[in-house]
Amino acid sequence: MSLRVLFGLMMVFVYVGMGLLILLNFFGWSSELACRLVGSLLILYGIFRGYRHIKGKDYNKNRQQ
């Protein structure tokens, strides 16, 4: 269970970090609209994953009660 928690947190940081890098045009994309759209979506998805991680919704799905 602890590796699953660690991996979940790591992925939240990866999504938000990649979103920030894309918003700052670190990769040199030519389209400003694509930078804003993809960067914003990655940040929002990272926040969504963080919320689900904190609430524990991803880990209780396959658990038998």
Side-chain angles (χ1 to χ4, degrees):
M1 186 70 157
S2 62
L3 283 177
R4 182 178 280 184
V5 170
L6 181 64
F7 183 73
L9 285 175
M10 184 181 69
M11 289 308 297
V12 168
F13 288 121
V14 166
Y15 285 124
V16 172
M18 284 297 292
L20 288 173
L21 286 175
I22 290 174
L23 277 179
L24 295 173
N25 202 10
F26 180 78
F27 302 106
W29 289 14
S30 59
S31 173
E32 181 87 21
L33 178 64
C35 282
R36 289 183 182 171
L37 183 67
V38 174
S40 299
L41 286 175
L42 281 172
I43 291 172
L44 288 174
Y45 185 67
I47 292 170
F48 173 72
R49 289 278 306 247
Y51 170 76
R52 288 182 58 91
H53 184 73
I54 289 170
K55 292 296 182 181
K57 295 186 182 219
D58 289 336
Y59 307 120
N60 296 328
K61 182 172 61 171
N62 295 328
R63 198 174 114 195
Q64 295 178 349
Q65 294 181 356

